[in-house]
Every structure is written in structure tokens, then in C-alpha cells.
Amino acid sequence: MSVCMETTSVPRWDEERTVADGGRTVTVLSFGDAATDHARRLVTSFEGRRVSWLRAPATWGDAAAEVLQRQLSAACVGWRLVLVGDEAAVLAARAVAVAAGALDDEILPEVLTTDTRTVYCAHCRHTHDATAAIGQASTCPACSAELVVYHHVSRHHGAYLGYQLDAEES
């Protein structure tokens, strides 16, 4: 499957490495040990701002969601969020932050790997993590549908769209 990158919603992480000026406080949320060194460099780069660094497990889950929710409920004007880790965790955290009212310009995504993707099953609405590349197949663990990992990312769900592999043949 060829992917037209001009019309895709797949994040271009290298182009999204900016955060709005004017932030007085910054929260850096890093996912797993692999993100530690990168997060440490970022923490020291925000001179003149109050910075907090929170470490979460490598994968997105209840513990990371709880930590982020506490930060979001305490956020004030001038707060910025930096997310450091693999794509699946960063997209999930970003979706939670946006749902809570954070703006794209207030969030700096620092994606270190794209080895794991979260896939949203269009058939049963379940999400699951997969190591499939865009255009490859992944089986939905909830409904057993064989899904194509499509080049559309819902930032609302923090996941790639997965549609049934043979949907057009039926």
C-alpha cells in the first residue's frame, strides 16, 4: 500500500517539535527508562521556567493517566506539557491532555520510537497495541478482525485507524 504523505494524518514528529513561547511552568512526562536521558536534556533546556519532571512506566496505563490527570487539573495559564517516549504512549497522553483542554501549542511531543502503534478497530471500537507498520495487518484481540493499519491517526483516540483487511471484497 502506498501512503500519500501529503494527505495523511500520521504525525510528522520532526515537524512537531515546537511548543508555544511564554510558558512559565513546564511539566516533562517521560515514559520508561529509555526516555530518561532525552528527558533529562529537555529538563535542563527550559532555563528560567519552573520545571517538574515526572517519570511513568514505558507503556501508557492507569498509573500514567493518573499522574497526567493530576497535572492537568492543576494547570494554569502559561503551563506547557512535554511528552517523551514511544509513539503509542505519547499519542495516548496527548489525547488525554487535549480532552482536558490543553491546546496543541501547549504540548511538545518528543517521540523516540515508532515501533509500537495503537490501533483502533473500526469494527468493534477496541484499541490494541501492535508492532505492525502502516499498511501491514494486525489482528484485533477483541473481535478477531484482521485489520489493515491505515495511514490515519485519530489524535482524539491516540490511535491509528484499523479497518478489516478484506472489507472491500465483501
Side-chain angles (χ1 to χ4, degrees), residues 1 8 18 33 37 61 67 72 88 92 101 105 113 116 119 122 152 156:
M1 169 190 288
T8 185
T18 60
D33 293 337
D37 289 340
V67 166
L72 290 163
D105 288 346
T113 65
T116 302
V119 179
H152 171 73
H156 173 74

Side-chain angles (χ1 to χ4, degrees), residues 116-134:
T116 302
R117 290 181 165 70
T118 302
V119 179
Y120 175 84
C121 178
H123 306 283
C124 73
R125 299 183 179 162
H126 178 80
T127 58
H128 69 279
D129 288 339
T131 56
I134 297 169

Side-chain angles (χ1 to χ4, degrees), residues 1 12-14 21 32 42 44 46 49 52-54 121 126-127 129 135 147 150 152 156-157 168:
M1 169 190 288
R12 294 173 176 95
W13 296 120
D14 290 338
D21 291 333
L42 284 167
T44 61
F46 291 107
R49 299 178 189 171
S52 60
W53 178 14
L54 306 169
C121 178
H126 178 80
T127 58
D129 288 339
L147 305 173
Y150 194 60
H152 171 73
H156 173 74
H157 289 104
E168 295 173 354

Side-chain angles (χ1 to χ4, degrees), residues 22 27 47 51 58-59 66 70 78 80 84 106 109-110 115 125 130 134 147 169:
T27 297
E47 290 182 29
V51 180
T59 56
E66 187 177 309
R70 279 196 307 270
R80 303 293 183 259
V84 184
E106 297 171 326
E110 289 283 332
D115 298 337
R125 299 183 179 162
I134 297 169
L147 305 173
E169 297 172 15

Side-chain angles (χ1 to χ4, degrees), residues 25-44 46 50-60 62-75 79-85 89-90 93 97 108 110 112:
T25 60
V26 177
T27 297
V28 176
L29 177 57
S30 63
F31 296 95
D33 293 337
T36 299
D37 289 340
H38 192 82
R40 184 177 288 117
R41 285 190 297 275
L42 284 167
V43 166
T44 61
F46 291 107
R50 189 174 55 224
V51 180
S52 60
W53 178 14
L54 306 169
R55 295 170 183 99
T59 56
W60 180 256
D62 292 341
E66 187 177 309
V67 166
L68 181 55
Q69 286 294 349
R70 279 196 307 270
Q71 292 298 307
L72 290 163
S73 66
W79 177 75
R80 303 293 183 259
L81 175 62
V82 180
L83 304 169
V84 184
V90 168
L108 175 61
E110 289 283 332
L112 304 179

